[in-house]
Amino acid sequence: MLERTDQHTLSKAKRREANDYAVGLAFLGVIGIAMIAWIAAIAWVGWHLIEWLFF
């Protein structure tokens, strides 16, 4: 009985650990996409500013 409980607890812990990694990767993915969008917006504004000043 005790051995079965330990295996069950261990499997739940492994599932929780995998879920923690998934949440972390999803969070970093969202942050990465937001950062790329922010850099693209800065580049777009900079390009239009350069066009307005020099052309």
Side-chain angles (χ1 to χ4, degrees):
M1 177 84 176
L2 185 59
E3 187 176 315
R4 234 184 322 165
T5 303
D6 287 344
Q7 288 177 351
H8 180 68
T9 304
L10 184 60
S11 69
K12 281 176 63 178
K14 284 183 181 178
R15 249 183 289 144
R16 192 176 323 123
E17 186 177 308
N19 192 24
D20 290 344
Y21 285 129
V23 170
L25 286 175
F27 179 74
L28 289 176
V30 168
I31 296 298
I33 290 169
M35 188 171 60
I36 289 170
W38 180 249
I39 291 170
I42 291 172
W44 183 81
V45 168
W47 180 259
H48 284 281
L49 185 62
I50 290 169
E51 276 188 344
W52 180 69
L53 287 173
F54 296 113
F55 296 114

